[in-house]
Amino acid sequence: MSQCTSCGQENAATSRFCQACGAPMARQASPSEDVAIQRVCGSCGASNLAALKFCNACGSPLGMPGQGPVDQPTYIACAACGTNTAAGFSFCQHCGAALPGPAELRSSDAADTIGELPRAVSQVSAKSATLPPAEEPLLAEEPQSTEESDDTALTDQPLDEDTAPIQPAMAIELNPAQPAVGGDTMGPGARRGSVQPVLARFISVRRDGSDGEVHVIDEQQTDLGRTSGLLRFPDDPYLSERHCRISLSAEGSWSIEDLCTLNGVFIRIDDPNALEAEGHKLVDGDVLLIGKQVLRFCWLGEHEREITPASENGVMLFGSPLRKPWARLLQLSVAGVTRDVYHLYRPRLTLGREDGDLVFPDDEFMSRRHLMISLDGGQARIEDLGSSNGTFVRIRGKTPLLAGAMVRVGDQLLRFEPQQGLPAGTPSTRGGSGC
């Protein structure tokens, strides 16, 4: 074990940086290592092993064994943030500000920036030690590369969406007069400092029905999830890591699809703009969300419909009279098992908190008369009876997403508002399979 000289934390003897504050560890070389430490960095003066090609402290190139330090690269100081960027870049690799071109640089200025490199590196190390872990977006620092490290060097290219650090869902209050937002607020994949037009918005609906946070969609294909995707809700335990995908077709129409998740995606059916007309028809296996009740609709087979009274040795079985059912509703519990089973036997049945054929008096989110299920010509239909919280149906496959659609994903209730008058675009190829 070795002790950090900055914070006093005990670290493993092989640690090069403190696991508590990130400061470089003062390492005592063993007698067998005295011969190996042959290279001294010409930029920061740190000692390095003979096998290294780049300085372990600042990342500067090292000379070959037996040779002196190689010529150090030229660094340009950013006028906006004061940090150094290697010559050859047009923009600062820390804040994105424009850098002066070769014609604007003086040789004396270049020499000054080389001398300031160790100070800039120490600032980066101190800043890294104070960054919060995981959920906060991290800025790419100066690339470091060694033969003994498996870490991939960060470049000025945009981070890949699947490997980027976790960020919370982007939520801002929009000014209606503002046509676009900065691309860096959209999470990984957006180029820092870019400006993209707003294609659509998801508006969170609070428990009291008022509008909450605004979530901007500025990509033709946007994934939503708990830890992956451009829209993230890290505090929602009912969301899958990557939950659903919102897409804009070349014809300008929007759609939403469930990415093989446990809890699915629900759309409110009482809004005529939310689903097409056939969306009100029930299909075997459809899952309904009314109030706090999650119910699965199932058709009954002929062998269950045509049950006759039983008798034994000429004696009729005494029991409740038979009513010929045509379907049933299964109550799905949070334990993952079916609890109550409700058989549908009338051509029309109503569900509600106080009034109806099926009553759920303990569900405060259900209206007094909430929903009607009817059988017409062999087809089952559902109709919301003007309830306060609406009726939701779990979608199957890619489903149209029209203006005003109310979408329930996990514990989030979102209202979809596409930007009006958008020209037809080309579908994005970004993203992979949802399963």
Side-chain angles (χ1 to χ4, degrees), residues 29 33 45 59 106 115-116 150 226 263 299 320 326 407:
E33 293 178 331
R106 302 192 306 272
E116 293 177 356
D150 294 331
R226 180 161 49 90
N263 293 318
W299 286 104
S320 300
W326 51 273
V407 181

Side-chain angles (χ1 to χ4, degrees), residues 75-98:
Y75 287 85
I76 303 173
C78 175
C81 65
T83 53
N84 295 301
T85 296
F89 289 94
S90 299
F91 298 92
C92 176
Q93 300 303 295
H94 301 275
C95 70

Side-chain angles (χ1 to χ4, degrees), residues 1-18:
M1 300 293 289
S2 59
Q3 187 176 31
C4 175
T5 58
S6 296
C7 67
Q9 176 68 32
E10 292 290 336
N11 292 268
T14 56
S15 297
R16 295 180 178 177
F17 297 92
C18 178

